[in-house]
Amino acid sequence: MSAVDYLIPYDFSPVTILGFVLVLGFYGYGLLAMPEADRPGSGRILVFVVGVMICYGVMQTRFDYYSQYMFFVHRGQHLILHHLGPFLIALSNPLPVMRFLYSRIKPGIRQALTPLGWIYRFLQHPAIASFLFVGLIYFWLWPPIHFDAMLSRDLYWIMNWSMLLDGLLFWWLIFDPRSPVVSDALGYGKRILLLALVALPQMVLGATIVFSRGMVYDVYEVCGRAWPMPPETDQLLGGLLTWIPPAMMSILGILIILRRAMREDGKLSPYSEKLEATHP
Amino acid sequence: MSILRRSRFLNRLSIIAVMTSSAILAGCFGDDESWRGKDISGLMPELAFELTDTSGDTLTADDTAGEIRMVFFGFTSCPDVCPATLQKLSRAVKDMPGELQEDTRIVFVSVDPKRDTPERIASYVDFFSDRAIGLTGEEKALRELSKRYRTTFGYDDPDEEGNYNVSHSGAVYVFDREGDARLLFRPDLSIEDIRADLVALAEESGI
């Protein structure tokens, strides 16, 4: 197989390609057209593009073939779609670009988009967001559901897209660049709590897969593996990928939030006036 | 006050949403007991192929329309899985009521076209059952067919004598008379379970 064969999609999905082209296109247009003062630096742009491109890479290259026929590669694919890719995208803080693009939308269309805002705010309620984040992992890894998802092309695409979109929502909630002191963004304490809370069930699930004696995900056995590998090894590696990297990313997220909270500690708090008034 | 009320409402709404979705999820996991094999209705596309049969002619899915078709991917030098599966399928078919046997077809697709000539496949499938047919094709056509049914195959490196192993799906894909994908037989399914499912399938879309 030539290098080109590794780069072309295994399962060509026009909607997916269109989605990625639109995201990068709008981002690029925003960067070029927006006032220079608000424009993100080259480091942040790079992080954003890398985040988007690794998600594209696991969906529309030969990687996708191995994800369909090896359990541990599939877990790696979801690690990128649900964790690493959205993590980088949210961390790159594309908010100024998004604000600029939003300002270019005609008021009529903006009004039509209002219901989307309601859905967004509902999904970003901390309880819903964390339930969805962990719930989706459990849902798609529930053996009968996982079996069906790997057999049905439609379900497979729904699975991968739902993981990517949910990952974006969750990590955007966590890395919301607005300070909770001056906006209605989620408080730092709550963000840290969410990160710790979602890590626990993922560790339980990963450890369960790692220590399972029997075959939990026999669909890879039934449909053939991409290359000969003992099923136990495949399952063990997949379990480790479900267990360790997500837990590490929660900790990394906590550290990043702590750093931001500590930076803001030194700054003037808007509560100080109130405190003075009540405690003269 | 109104803000407080709103946030309380949102909190309540979120709890309701969490509970509802849990209930929906629980509903999804209910198992359908009526089939012994795995029910794959609606999960896979209908049967379609254009391959070469054992007499060297082109055969399409339409040529076998009206029969219950059991599609199995394998190769004739296969040491264990293929003979065991073909043996099981042919035993299950033999155990069916006589008139229903005529409505079944075991479709063995060789994914090793380099070694498996039509003659070789013919003597192989004839050994197991007279309800079995053997097919093969160019690797590209076989890749497309296996991709359509979410499976794959691969070749090991050949040894000094040129023998090599082929990895392939161990499952049997069952299509009804109309060609709709209905059941998936896992390798560990018993002959009796296969027979029961085949009879039920043959009887439901009446003769």
Side-chain angles (χ1 to χ4, degrees), chain A:
Chain A
M1 265 177 58
S2 67
V4 179
D5 287 328
Y6 282 100
L7 289 177
I8 54 171
Y10 172 63
D11 188 1
F12 176 67
S13 159
V15 178
T16 305
I17 295 204
L18 184 72
F20 279 94
V21 166
L22 284 180
V23 166
L24 285 181
F26 277 121
Y27 187 76
Y29 164 75
L31 281 182
L32 292 176
M34 71 196 294
E36 206 171 331
D38 302 336
R39 196 177 296 157
S42 52
R44 274 168 58 195
I45 297 173
L46 184 73
V47 170
F48 180 85
V49 173
V50 168
V52 172
M53 285 317 286
I54 55 172
C55 291
Y56 174 84
V58 296
M59 284 173 117
Q60 287 289 282
T61 65
R62 191 74 187 166
F63 193 97
D64 185 48
Y65 167 76
Y66 296 108
S67 309
Q68 289 187 28
Y69 301 114
M70 287 307 237
F71 178 64
F72 87 90
V73 185
H74 154 79
R75 291 317 302 149
Q77 183 187 44
H78 277 199
L79 182 67
I80 286 174
L81 288 179
H82 201 221
H83 289 78
L84 195 56
F87 187 96
L88 291 177
I89 292 170
L91 206 58
S92 79
N93 181 11
L95 188 64
V97 185
M98 284 153 69
R99 273 203 185 119
F100 172 76
L101 291 173
Y102 187 73
S103 72
R104 285 292 175 99
I105 300 176
K106 291 198 179 81
I109 302 174
R110 248 188 255 175
Q111 218 152 29
L113 290 176
T114 322
L116 272 182
W118 296 337
I119 298 171
Y120 173 76
R121 268 187 288 281
F122 173 72
L123 291 175
Q124 291 300 66
H125 185 282
I128 302 275
S130 46
F131 175 77
L132 268 181
F133 188 76
V134 176
L136 270 182
I137 303 176
Y138 271 74
F139 176 74
W140 292 117
L141 276 178
W142 193 262
I145 299 288
H146 192 75
F147 200 98
D148 285 4
M150 298 313 284
L151 284 190
S152 158
R153 186 172 179 233
D154 294 341
L155 276 183
Y156 181 77
W157 278 107
I158 292 172
M159 169 174 77
N160 281 353
W161 267 106
S162 67
M163 290 305 263
L164 176 57
L165 292 177
D166 178 61
L168 286 171
L169 281 174
F170 181 79
W171 291 105
W172 183 244
L173 178 72
I174 295 296
F175 291 135
D176 191 335
R178 297 169 303 154
S179 164
V181 183
V182 292
S183 73
D184 61 351
L186 195 64
Y188 291 136
K190 280 185 185 164
R191 298 188 199 192
I192 291 172
L193 186 70
L194 283 192
L195 282 171
L197 275 181
V198 298
L200 291 175
Q202 292 185 78
M203 291 158 88
V204 170
L205 180 65
T208 310
I209 297 172
V210 166
F211 292 114
S212 288
R213 294 274 171 108
M215 264 338 278
V216 186
Y217 302 103
D218 65 338
V219 65
Y220 302 89
E221 195 73 340
V222 169
C223 291
R225 288 194 156 75
W227 68 86
M229 174 188 262
E232 304 80 33
T233 316
D234 189 14
Q235 187 163 292
L236 177 81
L237 289 175
L240 288 176
L241 279 176
T242 312
W243 180 3
I244 297 170
M248 283 165 66
M249 288 185 64
S250 263
I251 294 173
L252 197 63
I254 290 173
L255 291 177
I256 293 170
I257 298 297
L258 274 177
R259 178 169 162 269
R260 272 174 55 183
M262 285 159 76
R263 272 193 171 181
E264 284 179 26
D265 268 351
K267 292 181 187 162
L268 188 73
S269 156
Y271 297 124
S272 53
E273 273 181 31
K274 266 191 194 166
L275 280 174
E276 257 180 25
T278 48
H279 302 89

Side-chain angles (χ1 to χ4, degrees), chain B residues 79-114:
Chain B
D80 39 31
V81 185
C82 311
T85 306
L86 285 174
Q87 179 74 17
K88 250 193 214 176
L89 291 179
S90 54
R91 281 278 306 279
V93 169
K94 269 197 196 111
D95 291 349
M96 288 170 77
E99 70 278 12
L100 293 181
Q101 286 186 26
E102 299 299 309
D103 296 321
T104 57
R105 184 68 70 184
I106 300 166
V107 182
F108 173 77
V109 180
S110 165
V111 291
D112 186 17
K114 262 189 211 144

